[in-house]
């Protein structure tokens, strides 16, 4: 659906009906204005309507309608196509959900197509409308605001994932026995989803930071700031992935040590139990000529011997850390 349509001139929004036709006609009539049309999961008919108004390329429209595109920047004539992945975090399932924002940036218009629940641009639009000096830069300011908001979302997601990583580290090294392998693997998969959104975007942001035709050199410093934040969150995601790998290795090593401890305890108890079993087996044989067989205290002596040997072995195993 069409979320919002706005026409901006001299850093201020003009009070006009919110429909694509009004935007297209207004920017034709006013030389120093530009339009911003926002769509959320539009239908084919709505995209065709916008395509005809702004003469957008068929391949660009196809990219906008298909979700799960790789972040990229392409140029179709005087229109810049920017595909961005949005991220948001669902703490209940340790899940990083993804969406997509596609921006068509022309000399005097911006069309944004959003898929997914995350990455809402209404807040970005309102904040930008309060900064007339920024809106004065035209469509480049809108593209910067979108990129900046999405990269800020990346940082928020990374911080939330780090909280879960800290919980995993505490659990792995806690004195209690825990089973963290499944959660670690799940988080590693989600971090991979983060990196698929973040890493391909670094090169386009570097290009914007050094100036791209159609955006103007005055916008470069703002994109340099976005590129810096993106580089930082990319390093953060890589560090999180490394920490999760280390936590998984530590967990597996600890499980192995625990299994060895269990085997040592079992072996120690088997050895202790073998002594009375052996003595009872010997004196349970049906022979007449056995030492002390007719001795009155023989039964008690054997029990005492069993107890002494078992206690001695138990203390020995405790001393060496097997029990």
């Amino acid at each position: 659906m069409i979320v919002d349509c706005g026409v901006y001139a001299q850093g201020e929004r003009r009070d006009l009906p919110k429909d694509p036709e009004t935007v297209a006609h207004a920017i034709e009539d006013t030389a120093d204005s530009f339009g911003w049309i926002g769509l959320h999961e539009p239908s084919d008919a709505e995209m065709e309507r916008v395509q005809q108004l702004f003469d957008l390329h068929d391949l660009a429209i196809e990219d906008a309608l298909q979700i799960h595109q790789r972040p990229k920047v392409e140029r179709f004539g005087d229109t810049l196509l920017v595909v961005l992945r949005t991220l948001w975090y669902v703490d209940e399932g340790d899940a990083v959900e993804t969406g997509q924002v596609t921006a068509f940036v022309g000399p005097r218009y911006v069309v944004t197509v959003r898929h997914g629940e995350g990455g809402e641009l209404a807040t970005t639009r309102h904040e930008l409308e309060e900064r007339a000096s920024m809106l004065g830069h035209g469509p480049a300011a809108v593209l910067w605001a979108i990129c900046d908001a999405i990269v800020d979302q990346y940082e928020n997601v990374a911080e939330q994932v780090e909280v879960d990583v800290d919980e995993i580290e505490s659990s792995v090294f806690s004195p209690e026995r825990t089973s963290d392998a499944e959660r670690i693997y799940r988080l590693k998969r989600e971090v991979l989803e983060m990196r698929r959104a973040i890493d391909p975007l670094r090169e386009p942001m570097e290009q914007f930071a050094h100036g791209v035709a159609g955006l103007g050199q005055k916008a470069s410093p703002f994109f340099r700031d976005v590129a810096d934040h993106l580089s930082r969150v990319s390093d953060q995601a890589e560090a999180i992935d490394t920490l999760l790998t280390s936590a998984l290795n530590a967990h597996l090593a600890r499980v192995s040590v625990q299994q060895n401890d269990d085997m040592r305890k079992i072996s120690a108890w088997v050895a202790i139990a073998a002594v009375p079993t052996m003595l009872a087996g010997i004196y349970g044989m049906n022979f007449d000529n056995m030492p002390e067989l007719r001795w009155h205290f023989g039964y008690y002596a054997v029990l005492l011997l069993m107890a002494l040997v078992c206690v001695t072995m138990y203390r020995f195993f405790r001393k060496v850390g097997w029990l």
Side-chain angles (χ1 to χ4, degrees):
M1 63 179 181
I2 298 174
V3 178
D4 197 0
C5 299
V7 176
Y8 304 90
Q10 297 179 352
E12 294 184 358
R13 179 167 178 155
R14 297 176 61 186
D15 187 15
L16 295 172
K18 297 180 180 180
D19 61 78
E21 287 78 9
T22 300
V23 172
H25 295 152
I27 62 177
E28 289 179 359
D29 297 339
T30 309
D32 61 346
S33 65
F34 74 95
W36 180 4
I37 298 174
L39 302 96
H40 179 234
E41 298 181 357
S43 64
D44 293 346
E46 288 172 328
M47 281 304 302
E48 184 178 357
R49 177 183 171 191
V50 173
Q51 180 184 12
Q52 292 174 353
L53 287 172
F54 297 99
D55 193 25
L56 303 177
H57 198 280
D58 290 339
L59 292 177
I61 295 296
E62 183 180 339
D63 287 342
L65 290 174
Q66 293 181 354
I67 61 175
H68 304 306
Q69 293 280 337
R70 188 176 188 272
K72 62 180 179 179
V73 175
E74 292 185 5
R75 181 172 290 280
F76 295 90
D78 59 355
T79 301
L80 199 64
L81 172 69
V82 182
V83 179
L84 306 168
R85 298 284 294 276
T86 57
L87 301 176
W88 67 97
Y89 194 61
V90 181
D91 191 48
E92 291 78 9
D94 294 338
V96 176
E97 301 293 339
T98 61
Q100 180 175 304
V101 170
T102 305
F104 300 89
V105 183
R108 297 180 58 196
Y109 65 84
V110 177
V111 177
T112 55
V113 182
R114 183 169 64 89
H115 292 276
E117 298 178 4
E120 61 87 19
L121 299 177
T123 304
T124 303
R125 184 190 290 266
H126 295 325
E127 290 177 352
L128 191 59
E129 288 175 354
E130 294 176 356
R131 304 173 66 180
S133 60
M134 287 298 303
L135 274 174
H137 291 285
V142 176
L143 179 60
W144 165 80
I146 294 171
C147 294
D148 187 58
I150 290 176
V151 172
D152 286 344
Q153 290 174 356
Y154 293 166
E155 292 182 317
N156 292 334
V157 170
E159 290 174 359
Q160 291 175 295
V161 172
E162 279 189 333
V163 172
D164 286 342
V165 172
D166 291 340
E167 292 176 0
I168 287 176
E169 287 183 321
S170 299
S171 178
V172 166
F173 295 103
S174 68
E176 300 178 359
R177 290 199 173 192
T178 58
S179 180
D180 300 304
E182 181 180 352
R183 189 181 183 192
I184 293 173
Y185 177 78
R186 185 167 61 247
L187 273 176
K188 281 185 67 67
R189 185 181 59 193
E190 301 307 319
V191 171
L192 178 61
E193 196 71 32
M194 288 174 54
R195 299 185 70 176
R196 286 174 179 168
I198 295 170
D199 291 346
L201 197 59
R202 295 184 67 173
E203 183 178 351
M205 286 301 106
E206 289 294 336
Q207 293 177 4
F208 291 164
H210 291 89
V212 173
L215 295 182
Q217 291 296 326
K218 292 183 179 180
S220 297
F222 298 99
F223 283 106
R224 278 201 296 270
D225 181 66
V226 176
D228 179 64
H229 289 185
L230 186 66
S231 178
R232 184 171 60 198
V233 74
S234 177
D235 294 341
Q236 190 176 6
E238 184 178 356
I240 291 172
D241 191 33
T242 303
L243 280 173
L244 286 172
T245 300
S246 301
L248 181 59
N249 292 335
H251 173 70
L252 295 177
R254 190 176 182 194
V255 168
S256 178
V257 171
Q258 289 172 347
Q259 290 176 342
N260 289 337
D261 289 341
D262 292 341
M263 289 304 299
R264 287 192 299 181
K265 290 179 181 179
I266 293 171
S267 301
W269 283 115
V270 168
I272 292 173
V275 173
T277 302
M278 179 189 68
L279 293 176
I282 292 174
Y283 279 92
M285 293 185 294
N286 296 320
F287 294 107
D288 289 332
N289 298 320
M290 292 185 66
E292 311 300 339
L293 191 61
R294 303 296 178 181
W295 185 34
H296 176 73
F297 297 103
Y299 173 71
Y300 305 103
V302 170
L303 289 181
L304 180 61
L305 178 61
M306 290 181 182
L308 287 173
V309 173
C310 289
V311 169
T312 302
M313 294 181 67
Y314 176 80
R315 294 186 64 181
F316 172 75
F317 286 132
R318 288 280 294 181
K319 183 178 180 180
V320 297
W322 280 41
L323 288 175

